[in-house]
Amino acid sequence: MPELPEVETVRAGLDELIRSKKIKEVKLYDSPKSWPNDVVSTDKFVKDSSILKVRRRAKLLLIDLSSNYTIAVHLKMTGQLVFVGEESRFGAGHPTDSLIHNLPDKSTRVELKFDDNDSLFFNDQRKFGWMKLVPTPEVDNLDFMKKVGPEPLDDSFTLEVFKERLARRKKSNIKAVLLDQTVLAGLGNIYADESMWAAKINPKLRVNEIPDQKIVKLYESIREILAFSIQAGGSTNKNYVNAKGERGKYLDFANVYAREGLPCKRCGEPIAKFKHAGRGTHVCLNCQEVEL
DNA sequence: CACTTGACCTGTCCGC
DNA sequence: TGCGGACAGGTCAAGT
């Protein structure tokens, strides 16, 4: 999925598109057997309630309902939340770069139907994602919410906070640490690689092997890159789309992710890709001083 | 304990 | 064209 900028883009789009709409019906397209996650069913706390607002914490979307319940949605790798309204159904104003043409499709798991006949589709090709219904006051008590690290774009996320979080994992590999949601919320494979390139950090180093001045640069880079990507509507590599079914444009500006073999934008050496911390990892061997 | 690996699924792409 | 294997943006549980 979707990392922080993608989830935030979906959140902002959804909040605008579905806020105050009333849910008329919840339709499940997948049998519980093939999708054993905890699903929103035609529960009385969903049907006939209205959308109050759409929130985000880390990579989790929280759709607050007037019933005082919240639909929590995790998109994982391939989840999509796509709104289909009057305009997209009948062509006028249909986004030109929409990747979504006809819904429901093969990957549709859940449809929320609103009383004005607009719909919100939850699609998920790989079925890793989930939706669950939680009483709104209990959202903050979810294990996930208690464990997850700070929001990197919050004002309260200072350089000192970042250093504190990293200090918990001094001997660990920096890439694994950046991907660890309990250290810091929201980074995934794309933005971890992009941030380390910006700070000229070798992803193979342990946290305590990185000079302080590069940690400072990493802190700034993470915030700048995430903010920039939100402006660009996130990254679409394969599946990701926003709430209107449109692609994100961040990868047009990416420095390393999905650029294997292309020249580094700083030094011109070709970008390399290798497996590290269990993930495809993109670096400039020269700028980041990486030995394969 | 802390870190690494495999599993969850489906689709796509690459090499033979 | 067909088939097997590797890989894909995330997160757990299980194993070392």
Side-chain angles (χ1 to χ4, degrees):
Chain A
M1 153 178 188
E3 306 177 30
L4 188 152
E6 291 74 35
V7 181
E8 176 56 25
T9 302
V10 171
R11 185 210 64 75
L14 274 187
D15 193 53
E16 189 169 312
L17 290 163
I18 68 174
R19 188 189 273 241
S20 83
K21 284 187 185 285
K22 188 173 175 183
I23 298 169
K24 179 174 72 175
E25 186 189 344
V26 181
K27 202 166 170 184
L28 302 183
Y29 287 82
D30 210 358
S31 72
K33 192 170 181 180
S34 68
W35 193 31
N37 299 310
D38 189 0
V39 175
V40 175
S41 65
T42 53
D43 195 289
K44 60 179 173 177
F45 296 111
V46 177
K47 196 170 172 301
D48 296 327
S49 62
S50 312
I51 311 288
L52 296 182
K53 61 178 181 294
V54 184
R55 295 182 287 147
R56 178 188 63 77
R57 175 71 172 97
K59 300 173 189 172
L60 195 64
L61 281 160
L62 299 163
I63 304 173
D64 291 332
L65 306 179
S66 58
S67 58
N68 212 25
Y69 271 70
T70 294
I71 302 174
V73 188
H74 202 305
L75 303 174
K76 291 287 183 84
M77 301 279 251
T78 54
Q80 304 172 327
L81 279 171
V82 182
F83 176 82
V84 174
E86 193 87 359
E87 289 187 350
S88 26
R89 273 199 308 279
F90 299 112
H94 190 80
T96 50
D97 56 352
S98 174
L99 288 182
I100 304 295
H101 301 295
N102 267 310
L103 291 177
D105 67 16
K106 216 177 151 183
S107 70
T108 300
R109 306 266 98 83
V110 181
E111 177 181 3
L112 297 186
K113 294 187 156 192
F114 301 107
D115 67 353
D116 57 4
N117 287 324
D118 290 347
S119 285
L120 179 66
F121 292 90
F122 177 36
N123 305 325
D124 187 12
Q125 182 183 94
R126 286 170 77 180
K127 302 185 184 180
F128 293 165
W130 47 262
M131 269 187 166
K132 68 171 75 172
L133 195 61
V134 186
T136 304
E138 286 175 30
V139 166
D140 289 338
N141 298 326
L142 292 173
D143 282 349
F144 173 88
M145 297 295 263
K146 286 195 273 192
K147 283 190 302 184
V148 74
E151 285 290 325
L153 293 178
D154 275 6
D155 290 343
S156 59
F157 184 69
T158 59
L159 175 61
E160 281 59 46
V161 171
F162 183 52
K163 287 182 175 176
E164 258 172 53
R165 306 299 293 184
L166 291 182
R168 296 155 38 125
R169 303 283 301 277
K170 275 184 185 311
K171 293 183 180 172
S172 306
N173 174 275
I174 182 65
K175 173 145 182 179
V177 170
L178 292 179
L179 292 175
D180 184 340
Q181 302 298 296
T182 68
V183 172
L184 174 66
L187 287 189
N189 208 34
I190 298 175
Y191 302 106
D193 283 2
E194 292 288 298
S195 303
M196 286 186 287
W197 178 87
K200 299 189 185 176
I201 289 173
N202 179 344
K204 292 182 170 182
L205 293 182
R206 294 161 179 251
V207 170
N208 64 5
E209 295 170 328
I210 303 171
D212 185 69
Q213 140 264 332
K214 287 198 179 181
I215 295 291
V216 174
K217 179 67 179 164
L218 180 61
Y219 165 79
E220 291 165 354
S221 302
I222 288 171
R223 289 169 50 104
E224 282 165 17
I225 289 168
L226 293 177
F228 177 83
S229 183
I230 291 170
Q231 294 298 308
S235 297
T236 294
N237 191 23
K238 294 209 167 70
N239 295 274
Y240 167 73
V241 291
N242 69 13
K244 292 179 178 174
E246 300 159 322
R247 314 171 58 94
K249 295 181 168 57
Y250 177 82
L251 291 184
D252 295 347
F253 307 95
N255 290 304
V256 282
Y257 186 81
R259 286 180 50 80
E260 185 182 13
L262 297 173
C264 170
K265 294 180 185 176
R266 246 180 338 228
C267 76
E269 290 297 307
I271 297 302
K273 181 178 179 183
F274 60 101
K275 192 149 183 163
H276 179 62
R279 313 297 302 273
T281 298
H282 310 74
V283 294
C284 170
L285 298 175
N286 180 35
C287 295
Q288 293 168 264
E289 299 177 342
V290 180
E291 303 273 342
L292 288 182

